[in-house]
Amino acid sequence: GAGAGAGVAALAVARPATAGGAFAGGGGTRGGYPTAGAGDSGVGAHAANEEVGRSLVSYKREVAILRNSLRLRDSRESDLMDGQRRLKTERTAEKQEWEGQVASLVCEVQDLEARNRRLEAALRALGAAPQLSSAAASTAEAEASSTPSEAATPDPGELLGLC
């Protein structure tokens, strides 16, 4: 507070020297700092102090605005990073779930293919068995009678219990 005001007053008075070696408000110099001369009424120094004070207040206001802007930016950035982490975690979980579903479907397809192969083999075996028994029955009937007869072929679906 008060210490800063005293420093501001000292800064307000320190101005560069003019060509004549004196500062623009009159007076002389001592060690690079102005000294009060006979022409200084104090009004110019007071106005300069007020101007420096306003500049300092304005500067402090700008610093506060910039700091607030930085805090807001950091907060938004943090929120965005959290959102990205959350989305990545959700995506990873969804990907694992999807991969599990795909693996399950692949296993199911493999099981269905194996079952299909077993059923096809059973159907082939059933189809071959009636032909053999039909041929044997035909041979037996041919021997028993003079005209050959055809044996009825059973439906493989009925034999397997599918229909």
Side-chain angles (χ1 to χ4, degrees):
V8 171
L11 288 175
V13 180
R15 289 182 265 169
T18 60
F23 287 99
T29 63
R30 190 177 121 218
Y33 294 101
T35 58
D40 282 342
S41 63
V43 175
H46 181 41
N49 284 342
E50 286 180 9
E51 183 180 336
V52 169
R54 283 190 298 274
S55 294
L56 182 61
V57 169
S58 176
Y59 170 77
K60 286 181 179 181
R61 192 176 317 125
E62 286 182 38
V63 167
I65 290 170
L66 289 173
R67 284 184 179 156
N68 191 36
S69 292
L70 287 174
R71 271 190 235 107
L72 290 173
R73 186 201 67 190
D74 290 345
S75 175
R76 282 192 305 267
E77 188 176 300
S78 176
D79 290 346
L80 288 172
M81 294 298 287
D82 290 343
Q84 285 180 338
R85 274 188 231 105
R86 181 181 44 79
L87 288 174
K88 186 175 181 179
T89 301
E90 288 174 6
R91 182 182 177 276
T92 301
E94 289 171 355
K95 183 179 179 185
Q96 288 174 348
E97 181 182 341
W98 177 79
E99 287 173 347
Q101 290 174 350
V102 169
S104 174
L105 290 173
V106 167
C107 290
E108 186 177 341
V109 167
Q110 289 174 344
D111 290 345
L112 289 173
E113 287 174 342
R115 181 176 179 212
N116 189 36
R117 284 191 297 274
R118 288 191 304 271
L119 289 173
E120 286 175 346
L123 285 175
R124 272 189 242 109
L126 286 174
Q131 289 174 357
L132 290 177
S133 62
S134 155
S138 297
T139 307
E141 286 182 17
E143 292 174 3
S145 68
S146 60
T147 61
S149 69
E150 293 188 26
T153 309
D155 182 26
E158 291 177 9
L159 290 174
L160 292 175
L162 297 175
C163 298

